[in-house]
């Protein structure tokens, strides 16, 4: 199976099958906002503007790293880039290893022309540093994407569940450190849906990583996705047992925030409404990222659908802010109106 | 759409559709009464009499502010007024802005002739103070209704979910304060189903508000109601996300009571049985208010149905008092037999 | 409706309709036994013998007060008496007011001939002391039943839900005290399914009551039973609201035990298996009583069915004792192997 | 009924009927692993090797004592032995009393020829020490099985639910002690699915037992199995009441570990996936045992199915270790990444 075919297959499966974790939720349902009946602000005055890595955003929101490499996924990237630019969100590209191996696929990652002003993140599996990729390749993909940052993803279990997976994860911390020291632009690290805990976040920050996207559990589960792909019967069965593995996103945020209070954080993994973003930001995130939940709108032939979807999330975020009486993102970050749910429901 | 048409539509939707909050309850189920097997009183000696704003009531109960402005809603108000007088309850009128704008609608609020002795509350959206309404208008509606008090409702989120909504809520506290200083009769403040918390209650009392109706979550959800009305697709979708927003009524009571122990309080939002009233009063309410749950009886052509409904609630309240061995409302307020439920069920 | 007809109707309803409390359980499910894998006893050595009011019992178990007064209920009493004697249980008779008012019904309570050796309890509603009944009547029914004790039942809410109910409960404590001082045999007090709490138990013991049957909630709910009987529409509806009223039996036991550790206690209300009896005894009960759950076997034409049922309960009690390695009731009373359930299920 | 017929019937029932405990789980769901996004190890370096009683194992896993005595169960034992040898697991034989009574059945336990290197456990009901069996018989079965240890099972409740059951459990501790002092090879003690608690474990270790298999509740329930077998109506009904009896396996582990931290422990009872084994080991087990969940593969005509099943469990165990970044069993035993589940689900 070619790497390109895999990319298309991932999109198909995420759209058509049940690929979310089972008996596990994001943990955002354990928090709720204490309504403020007299907000003392005008709804029209609410502002979502934010900055990330020195760039202005119209909203503290992110389209998570998802795809690229094939004709179809190139069109998805284009739609997402046009929408992100229009609404002022940040955007992540999918893993760009394919661009290094198959030059003809490169254009599918070149979305800067559709999104001249927003932060764009190039993306590579951290484990590739153990499989022959290094500084030069990283520079290449960053340039290709005209990216503001390079995001390395940690996906140990996904690799295990791919029969062709790259599962040599030893010694990566050192290699990431070297990359942080040498690369000209900021490096972020993310998971792909099982979450980053506080201890690891502390290590990553201490070796020079600029920002962390916790990419926690409760949304897309990659063991579930790969379960549908694999023809290896034992891996298929084992995948079932791991459908509730991972650290819920809200819990990642709490743990990371406790260990590295000043780290630049992105919360993602299972977010769907704008209320989720409001909770994520109140828990300490600078950006709130959406992956799978945006995909259905992003695969439409024209960008209006995904633009509408982003607008909906912003509207919900604004209403949540109106509901607790804060008029800007700084206020949301400092609110004391996010409180524990009574019984987690 | 005219304001009158909206009034009729609200009644229709509340009667015919599922408009209650989802995954959210009043919180009264977290409390239960400790049965007293030997009450040492006679059932026939139990008295529900109470006073509110100096007027005598046969029961510490309130028909919540709901409607008026059209032929149909005028008849509902008439039924409710006749029933409230018969049973000795207090009664709130729906928002009277329509009466200021459409003089022909005024008579639908003139229920004093049907209810000469009970406390009647005039009603206006607090936000209207930011849209051209002031002292004079307030006086007008109070006179029109021959009301004992003016109740201002806080409905920030309802306004957001109305495409035509009035969402400028800045600076209202000051304006309410001025009104409190000048108006000849007491001013109360209520929510419409998302609840008032302790901090805001404290502010309201400190600026001169005479009483607070917490109108908490767990009953009618106005985002749900407006969801059915709106044709704006993003608002419709956003409304779904807010179906569990708000502070459960019992929680409002606890929080407000903790912050302003001596405030005059009304508990409403999702009450249905007389046991709910008993709990509300044991939690510190002077009156317990019922909205949506009364509507089905109130829209019947003759007042017997709503009279029967009020009688049922009183009977349940009395039985609850018999069950814990208290014979009057003062005793109920002081009971130590309201205790936490084992597991909230 | 005659009092006799009511007795037959109660039996019918309890057998055929759902008359148990809703959203409320006995609380025994909050406790479980810690298995002892090496009991170090022989199953055949396990003894259930106990004493109550100086009489020997083959098992610390009681058929709760249920019936009498009509031909049919007389046969039920006969079956129960034969079974209780055969298996060595104690037995309660149903309320004997009918025997005072209708001499022809007396024989239905005269079960001593079928059960010469066991403790038998005569029974009367405590509230009758406010309706013309006194010392002499009590003596009459005790003699009639050749009873070892007189049990007064407290059933305030049942009386409320009966249109013809006797609801003057004022001043009863004093009257019970007088009875305790004068009557020649011990007086017990019980509820009928809403439970007796610690505070009341303390009062009852202090005025001379010899034993208390908590008769808690989680089993038969008399508001549910009367709901089916009444033709009064408001009472019918109100009964619905009270289907979860009352103190769960296990909670009564904990509360009463805390306040009056040395009181002689019977645990009843919702017991069905012999494991329930084991828990009740480990929580401090001297006898464990079964009402509704025995009725289906008791109404069979011959006593074998109810005898079998009692034997089953004894067998389950014995197996539970074997499971925790105690060989007699004293050991069960002192066991430290009754522990809280993990999550109440 | 012959003892052999019973053996075949047990297999049938366990395969075809619902024989697991009701409203009771292993307790492993109360624990979860905290994912480590950067494991810093290579998947291929993960080693499962372990030792037990001085013998090397390729995995710290055990096929629990299940069967033998008839033609069919002999074949099952052969399949399991071949698989255990192939995968390097330990293996327990079913109760060998039948081999003592029926010499023709002996060969069904002689699996050493199929499994020359692994630890094999001979098995006998401890209660048989009260029914004429002693040192000599134990030696006989150990020799017959060429076993590395003798495991005595405690099955008090199973015996109770067998009409023909041996229920004299008095004085066993002393007899086990004597056996421990005299027998040449180590003696282990296990339950059969209701669990061993800390207090008993402490006693067993203090009298010389070499290892304990807690065999807790949450998996096979022997009251459920015997319920299907018995024709005794009271026992059948009583069995229903005991379907949630027993100490959940994870709870046994916690309790035993607290009382005898250095004891050699096997965790079994309801394990199904390799994640369960990982949790069991992190909770302090040296081996994790699987009973009923292996049976379906073991009854297949050829050993591949059970071999595959064992391989799957190992794979899941390895993936769990990769997920928390430990590369050997010692690391797993010491991990601090096993944490309480949020809500036990
Ligand atoms: C179709 C698809 C492809 C993805 N590809 C990548 C990728 O190439 N690189 C990466 O870092 N994460 C990738 N992810 C993971 C997401 O960035 C995100 O961390 C994860 O899906 C959890 O967020 P969600 O629950 O909102 O989907 C992908 C996710 C999806 C749904
Ligand atoms: C049909 C309807 C109309 C209402 N109109 C008003 C109104 O005009 N003014 C107001 O203060 N509250 C209004 N309310 C809110 C109620 O007074 C009450 O606060 C809310 O419905 C929560 O109580 P409930 O759950 O018992 O319905 C209305 C409620 C209903 C159901
Ligand atoms: C049909 C029936 C009749 C009863 N009659 C009496 C009675 O006359 N006197 C009394 O003290 N309790 C009476 N009880 C109440 C029982 O004694 C017992 O307290 C109650 O039913 C709770 O126990 P249970 O859940 O096991 O049924 C009656 C119960 C039933 C089911
Ligand atoms: C069919 C079957 C037969 C068993 N026979 C024995 C036995 O002879 N001796 C023994 O110690 N345990 C026996 N057991 C109990 C198991 O060893 C184990 O302790 C119990 O089944 C709990 O584990 P599980 O839930 O994984 O099945 C048997 C279990 C099964 C399913």
């Amino acid at each position: 199976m070619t790497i390109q075919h895999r990319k298309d297959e991932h999109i198909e499966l995420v759209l058509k099958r049940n690929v979310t974790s089972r008996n596990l939720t994001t943990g955002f349902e354990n928090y709720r906002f204490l309504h403020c009946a007299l907000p003392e602000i005008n709804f029209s005055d609410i502002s979502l503007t934010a900055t990330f890595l020195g760039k202005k955003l119209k909203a503290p929101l992110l389209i998570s790293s998802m795809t690229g490499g094939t004709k179809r996924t190139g069109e998805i990237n284009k739609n997402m880039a046009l929408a992100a630019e229009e609404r002022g969100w940040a955007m992540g590209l999918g893993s760009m290893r394919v661009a290094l191996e198959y030059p003809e696929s490169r254009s599918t990652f070149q979305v800067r022309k559709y999104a001249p002003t927003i932060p764009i993140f190039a993306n590579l599996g951290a484990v590739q540093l153990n499989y022959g990729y290094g500084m030069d390749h990283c520079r290449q993909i960053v340039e290709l994407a005209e990216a503001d940052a390079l995001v390395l993803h940690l996906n140990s279990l996904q690799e295990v569940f791919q029969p062709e997976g790259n599962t040599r994860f030893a010694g990566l911390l050192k290699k990431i450190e070297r990359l942080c020291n040498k690369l000209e632009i900021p490096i972020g690290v993310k998971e792909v849906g099982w979450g980053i805990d506080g201890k690891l976040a502390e290590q990553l920050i201490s070796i020079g990583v600029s920002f962390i996207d916790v990419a926690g559990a409760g949304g897309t589960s990659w063991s579930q996705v790969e379960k549908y792909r694999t023809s290896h019967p034992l891996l298929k069965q084992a995948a079932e047992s791991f459908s509730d593995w991972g650290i819920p996103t809200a819990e990642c945020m709490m743990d990371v925030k406790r260990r590295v209070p000043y780290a630049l954080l992105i919360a993602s993994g299972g977010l769907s409404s704008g209320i989720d973003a409001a909770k994520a930001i109140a828990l300490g995130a600078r950006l709130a990222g959406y992956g799978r939940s945006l995909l259905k709108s992003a695969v439409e032939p024209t960008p209006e659908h995904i633009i509408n979807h982003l607008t909906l999330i912003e509207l919900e975020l604004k209403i949540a802010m109106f509901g607790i009486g804060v008029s800007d993102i700084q206020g949301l970050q400092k609110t004391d109106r996010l409180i524990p749910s009574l019984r987690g429901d």
Side-chain angles (χ1 to χ4, degrees), chain A residues 46-160:
Chain A
I46 295 174
S47 155
L48 300 183
T49 57
T51 58
F52 196 78
L53 302 179
K55 275 198 173 173
K56 285 219 164 130
L57 289 166
K58 290 192 214 146
L61 302 169
L62 165 73
I63 301 178
S64 290
S65 309
M66 281 194 282
T67 200
T70 68
K71 186 162 171 301
R72 189 181 186 204
T73 57
E75 279 155 20
I76 296 173
N77 269 348
K78 179 179 169 188
N79 270 351
M80 295 198 296
L82 287 167
E85 179 70 25
E86 165 88 12
R87 303 305 311 173
W89 290 38
M91 173 178 171
L93 294 164
S95 174
M96 297 175 68
R97 175 156 71 112
V98 61
L100 292 169
E101 293 177 19
Y102 303 85
E104 72 276 17
S105 77
R106 289 186 183 161
S107 63
T108 64
F109 294 100
Q110 292 174 316
V111 300
R112 181 52 90 192
K113 53 183 171 281
Y114 310 120
T117 70
I118 61 166
I120 290 178
F121 305 150
N123 186 286
L124 193 70
V127 78
Q128 299 310 323
L129 302 176
N130 272 349
Y131 287 83
Y133 293 85
M135 182 72 59
D136 288 347
H137 303 93
C138 291
R139 280 210 183 95
Q140 268 181 56
I141 61 174
V142 166
E143 273 164 32
L144 178 72
E146 300 174 54
D148 300 280
L150 170 66
V151 167
L152 300 174
H153 65 260
L154 304 175
N155 66 339
S156 53
L157 292 199
Q158 185 187 9
E159 297 291 343
V160 165

Side-chain angles (χ1 to χ4, degrees), chain A residues 25-33 214 216-218 248-251 253-254 267-273 275-285 288-290 338-341 344-345:
Chain A
T25 51
T26 60
F28 285 124
E29 74 286 354
N30 294 322
Y31 297 90
R32 58 188 173 123
F33 283 110
V214 298
T249 300
E251 216 180 308
M253 288 303 302
M254 292 300 282
S268 77
L271 276 66
S272 66
S273 82
I275 301 180
D276 290 337
K279 291 181 180 178
I281 291 166
L283 286 176
Y290 295 77
L338 188 73
I339 59 175
S341 288
D345 54 19

